[in-house]
Amino acid sequence: MPINQQILLDNRPMGEAAASNFMLVSSDTPELKEGQVLVHHHFLSLDPYMRGRMSESKSYAAPQPLGQVMQGGTAGEVIESRSPKFEPGDKVVGMGGWQQYSVVDVDKADQPGALRKVDTTHVPLSHYLGAVGMPGVTAWYGLVKIIEPKVGQTITVSAASGAVGSALGALAKARGCRVVGVAGGPDKCAYVVNELGFDDCIDYREHGNALSLSSALQDACPDGVDGHFENVGGMVLDAVLPRMNAFGSVALCGMIAGYDGKPVPLTQPSLILLSRLKIQGFIVSEHMEVWPEALKELGALVGSGKLRPRESVAHGLENAPEAFLGLLKGRNFGKQLVKLI
Ligand code: NDP
């Protein structure tokens, strides 16, 4: 059995996460028992939610235990099988964690995040960790089930060039909406408009405060905003709320601006009342019932070229911590992955 490189959570962050929170180790891969398969990971997904699990503060999920392999989504290939459900050569996605190989108990494969086969004929394997995976379904759920867009409405999204934001744009365009993104920097904004097909994108870094950003949003959204998909919090949300139309909806997906401990205050909560807004937080893994329908639409969008997701790829497991810390600072440009082979 192969030697397996793994990254463990060694200690919890005090304030900002740091490379010293992680530890790289090597271990033997155990022999397979009946009902188990050995998966060789080709890609590891790095996701903002991992920062929350590194801490012990209140959350919807249990903290990542210390001294254990960091949890995370993986895409790879079955290389040995003692289960009739999988054969060597099957391409699979699962929650293999920050390591090169995982041994998976296939009988538990009905649980959320458990191992499933994927078809790489039209969709590259890595996209099953992004647009045609958890981030894509996240966009789908927030848009379809919370915002409930109608043709001709205006939808805004923060972190628009990212894994979730890029999928959100394609899904909203497919529903006949005007879609306006907010992203950091001219390159990301150009990609959002030219490659992803958004109607407009505002570079929030050009705006020193929420008032200025809100004024730019007013220009980009002349009919106001009917639905907003929030990934960041803080200044962006403060800028969007004054632009929301009466009875608009906000899908509160993430508040990455605060994940490393910075406060993300909301300066005008009275706007929620004045505009009679619906604001709903959600966690995608609690809505497994929508995954098949969402993945079908997302797969078709990617397969047909209507959604061209971008990826930031770090190489080698040892570079996962730096890539993860970069994700928390907005250094990624598109879905952040680590290539492990
Ligand atoms: P992205 O690929 O969008 O990467 C994160 C992006 O956030 C950065 O590239 C950066 O883009 C942006 N960002 C804006 N402000 C900050 C800031 N202050 N610090 C750091 N980054 C910032 O990530 P994902 O698409 O994977 O995730 C997007 C959001 O969705 C996250 O908040 C995540 O937690 C959330 N999420 C929620 C889920 C749920 O079930 N509720 C499931 C999956 C994701 P820019 O340079 O444009 O600012």
Side-chain angles (χ1 to χ4, degrees):
M1 296 294 273
I3 299 291
N4 190 13
Q5 281 205 322
Q6 305 173 310
I7 291 184
L8 317 181
L9 181 64
D10 184 54
N11 56 82
R12 300 197 188 279
M14 309 289 280
E16 280 194 15
S20 56
N21 298 135
F22 304 98
M23 188 196 286
L24 179 67
V25 299
S26 291
S27 69
D28 292 328
T29 309
E31 292 291 332
L32 294 188
K33 298 190 186 115
E34 203 53 44
Q36 292 184 331
V37 298
L38 177 63
V39 182
H40 189 189
H41 302 154
H42 294 194
F43 293 97
L44 164 66
S45 174
L46 296 177
D47 296 273
Y49 75 81
M50 294 165 172
R51 175 63 186 85
R53 302 226 176 137
M54 290 171 74
S55 300
E56 280 181 313
S57 48
K58 182 173 190 261
S59 181
Y60 58 90
Q64 155 81 44
L66 287 178
Q68 291 193 16
V69 177
M70 281 289 295
Q71 296 155 1
T74 45
E77 183 176 330
V78 172
I79 54 169
E80 210 180 309
S81 176
R82 291 195 60 189
S83 161
K85 294 179 185 164
F86 291 88
E87 286 176 14
D90 284 344
K91 298 288 189 298
V92 288
V93 290
M95 289 296 289
W98 294 30
Q99 54 184 343
Q100 293 171 309
Y101 299 89
S102 61
V103 172
V104 182
D105 217 321
V106 172
D107 289 337
K108 293 180 186 156
D110 289 339
Q111 295 171 1
L115 203 66
R116 67 186 170 89
K117 285 185 216 178
V118 293
D119 180 354
T120 54
T121 318
H122 301 293
V123 174
L125 181 62
S126 59
H127 286 357
Y128 285 103
L129 297 173
V132 194
M134 184 277 284
V137 180
T138 301
W140 192 98
Y141 186 86
L143 182 71
V144 176
K145 296 295 182 184
I146 297 177
I147 295 176
E148 300 180 285
K150 297 183 182 57
V151 175
Q153 287 189 330
T154 298
I155 309 296
T156 50
V157 56
S158 49
S161 74
V164 175
S166 52
L168 188 283
L171 292 166
K173 284 309 295 177
R175 285 162 178 74
C177 298
R178 174 174 177 79
V179 192
V180 174
V182 177
D187 291 348
K188 286 186 177 179
C189 281
Y191 162 73
V192 164
V193 173
N194 300 333
E195 296 285 320
L196 294 175
F198 281 53
D199 296 285
D200 208 341
C201 184
I202 299 166
D203 178 0
Y204 67 88
R205 293 200 193 146
E206 284 184 359
H207 300 275
N209 54 52
L211 201 62
S212 168
L213 181 57
S214 198
S215 159
L217 274 164
Q218 189 166 27
D219 295 341
C221 308
D223 298 328
V225 176
D226 302 294
H228 174 61
F229 192 102
E230 183 57 70
N231 283 321
V232 175
M235 182 173 92
V236 178
L237 189 53
D238 261 346
V240 171
L241 284 187
R243 306 275 70 89
M244 294 290 304
N245 291 328
F247 304 105
S249 300
V250 177
L252 193 48
C253 171
M255 302 193 93
I256 194 170
Y259 290 0
D260 247 341
K262 290 203 188 83
V264 278
L266 190 60
T267 56
Q268 292 191 78
S270 58
L271 287 168
I272 300 168
L273 172 63
L274 298 181
S275 300
R276 288 86 82 210
L277 302 179
K278 174 177 92 170
I279 300 191
Q280 190 178 327
F282 69 99
I283 298 300
V284 69
S285 53
E286 293 175 346
H287 301 283
M288 296 311 291
E289 74 286 353
V290 308
W291 282 56
E293 184 185 354
L295 288 173
K296 193 170 166 204
E297 181 177 356
L298 291 156
L301 284 171
V302 170
S304 65
K306 288 187 181 146
L307 170 54
R308 288 197 295 275
R310 204 186 143 114
E311 298 174 335
S312 278
V313 184
H315 292 268
L317 185 69
E318 66 282 8
N319 291 314
E322 274 312 319
F324 176 66
L325 299 176
L327 171 69
L328 295 177
K329 301 231 175 282
R331 286 190 208 118
N332 63 310
F333 189 166
K335 171 68 204 157
Q336 182 66 60
L337 298 166
V338 184
K339 195 161 193 293
L340 300 173
I341 56 160

